Amino acid sequence: LSASAYYQPAVTDNADHRLSANGAIGVSLTERLSYTFTVSVVKDSLPPPGIKEVDQSYRNGLKFVF
């Protein structure tokens, strides 16, 4: 289990800021195989034209130890 978050304000404009948050969890399925799930969210209060204000991603994975 892990989590992190970052807040980055613009020095010159209080309305302009970015927020990034990540979280992950891993579960052992067997002695050599585990499952991972990761979530990432990035928010930009004033994104450039054509870019979404909030970007989310979800990842699933399997890890096998030899």
Side-chain angles (χ1 to χ4, degrees):
L1 179 64
S2 67
S4 63
Y6 301 95
Y7 176 75
Q8 183 181 15
V11 177
T12 58
D13 185 0
N14 289 337
D16 188 9
H17 59 270
R18 293 186 68 191
L19 176 66
S20 175
N22 301 297
I25 188 168
V27 178
S28 292
L29 301 174
T30 68
E31 190 175 306
R32 299 173 72 184
L33 182 66
S34 61
Y35 166 76
T36 58
F37 177 70
T38 305
V39 176
S40 178
V41 179
V42 177
K43 180 186 181 296
D44 188 344
S45 64
L46 297 173
I51 304 297
K52 298 184 294 183
E53 186 173 329
V54 178
D55 186 33
Q56 303 171 356
S57 67
Y58 304 92
R59 291 186 296 172
N60 293 288
L62 291 174
K63 178 180 177 183
F64 184 79
V65 178
F66 291 93

